[in-house]
Amino acid sequence: MKRRPPSQSRRAYLTETPISTLICTLAVPTIISMLVTGVYNAADTYFVGRISTQATAAVGLVFSVMAMIQALGFFCGQGSGNYLSRLLGSGELQKANEIAVTGFSMALAAGLCTAAFGNLFAVPLARLLGATASTLPDTLAYLRVILIGAPFMMCQCVINNQLRFQGSAFYAMIGLMCGAVVNIGLDPLLIFAFRLGVPGAAIATVCGQITGFCVLLLGSTRGENIRLRVNNIRMSADNIMQIVNGGLPSLMRQGMAAVSVVLLNRFANACGGDAAIAGMSVVNRTMQLLSSALIGFGQGYQPVCSFNYGAGRCRRVREGYFFCVRYGTILMTLAAAVCLLFPAPIVAFFRDDPAVIEVGARALRWQACALPLMATSILTNMMLQASGQGIRSAITSSARNGIFFIPLILTLPKLLGLRGVEMTQACADALTFLLCIPFAASFLRKLRRMESE
């Protein structure tokens, strides 16, 4: 992988390097990071799938809590990272330092509160997630450990995003990869060798998060990266509002994802029981893995977008967007072809249960039909978010799992039963694509006007 010469300044690197070269250089580590994250998120499902269908369902139920923890982490990380990058683009180094530490402090406080209150109300929370009498013990065992790791998970998200927005995607990749290796290595050891079962999978996940956090914290002290110092904390109204403006789309996107998983599991349980929950859980993890490369590609574009937008280089913002949409669509089309051709073997890889495979294979085919549309939707949202378009990016980020998904999941299962559960996400993806087209066109026209002024 081509690394940036130490003597080349960050500003020159991000504003003068050819767009295709720059985005690919930044995207390779982020794509690897996201793929690795997707793999170790899927690792728990794979290894727990060797235990029972109920255990697989339990991990799927807790996935929504993990999504919410990550949502809060990305809220603080993307919010501070977006603004930090624009500040660096305009040369305001001290202000950038203050935003970085403020974002980290917010995540740490949120993580500690989540760990404390989540464990205090673990039983009602598990029931809210959709746990049944057969899945409740495994759900609680997995949930309690995951909640303990919430502060590390959130703070890891913050540092990872801040490093990316500074153009240091390599360090961000190393941190996530170290955490993934620990998680994947500990999973079979704790689950089977030490016979810890479902709690062993949760412990492996938290150990991976702690490892990733420590490595990322060390990476933030390297090179030109901003240092996290206590004396730079500035909890001013302006700093907090800037983080909220930049991070709200991530919170909406990830938060709605958590809500959508809860609703999906509850309707899957009502229509098909534990096997349906397990099947939809496998599909969710598979789609997360497939889309992780696209998200990584977009994360490689975001620092280019925010830095050049802050520096007034609007042509480079537009050029980068079209470059990413073009190749992202090609990537998602190839992934869709694989899912359409081999749905049953993909689901069986995680859980070899005929009832689970039947549900999962049908849902995976539906999801595959909408995969090529995701590139435009996700990259439009990332462009709007990175350039500080808070309201529009919040709308596009909440569309897939909120604005469209929630009405559909409340309607289709009542009309079509389990088939309605299986097709809901694909329908929501198609509607989100249609929504993003005018948003993207409007902002791209604005960039052209700014460029000509």
Side-chain angles (χ1 to χ4, degrees), residues 408-420:
L408 287 171
I409 195 63
L410 294 175
T411 305
L412 292 180
K414 294 179 180 179
L415 299 175
L416 303 172
L418 185 56
R419 186 63 56 88

Side-chain angles (χ1 to χ4, degrees), residues 207-244:
C207 287
Q209 296 289 347
I210 294 173
T211 301
F213 166 74
C214 293
V215 175
L216 285 168
L217 188 62
L218 178 63
S220 68
T221 65
R222 303 291 299 276
E224 300 176 30
N225 295 319
I226 284 175
R227 272 64 167 173
L228 298 173
R229 295 189 176 93
V230 176
N231 61 345
N232 280 325
I233 297 176
R234 297 290 185 276
M235 289 292 184
S236 66
D238 178 64
N239 285 351
I240 292 173
M241 286 306 300
Q242 288 292 347
I243 291 174
V244 170

Side-chain angles (χ1 to χ4, degrees), residues 209-336:
Q209 296 289 347
I210 294 173
T211 301
F213 166 74
C214 293
V215 175
L216 285 168
L217 188 62
L218 178 63
S220 68
T221 65
R222 303 291 299 276
E224 300 176 30
N225 295 319
I226 284 175
R227 272 64 167 173
L228 298 173
R229 295 189 176 93
V230 176
N231 61 345
N232 280 325
I233 297 176
R234 297 290 185 276
M235 289 292 184
S236 66
D238 178 64
N239 285 351
I240 292 173
M241 286 306 300
Q242 288 292 347
I243 291 174
V244 170
N245 183 62
L248 186 60
S250 292
L251 181 63
M252 296 294 290
R253 180 172 57 247
Q254 297 283 110
M256 287 297 182
V259 173
S260 70
V261 170
V262 172
L263 291 172
L264 190 69
N265 286 332
R266 294 184 73 89
F267 278 97
N269 179 52
C271 296
D274 291 344
I277 296 176
M280 296 308 299
S281 173
V282 167
V283 172
N284 281 336
R285 292 301 176 102
T286 302
M287 295 307 297
Q288 182 188 44
L289 179 60
L290 291 176
S291 62
S292 59
L294 174 63
I295 294 173
F297 199 33
Q299 288 179 343
Y301 166 64
Q302 279 190 307
V304 178
C305 176
S306 57
F307 200 101
N308 281 277
Y309 187 74
R313 306 291 183 91
C314 296
R315 181 187 61 79
R316 290 173 63 82
V317 176
R318 289 193 299 109
E319 186 181 345
Y321 172 76
F322 286 117
F323 175 81
C324 290
V325 168
R326 181 167 58 251
Y327 288 101
T329 301
I330 293 172
L331 175 67
M332 288 296 99
T333 302
L334 294 174

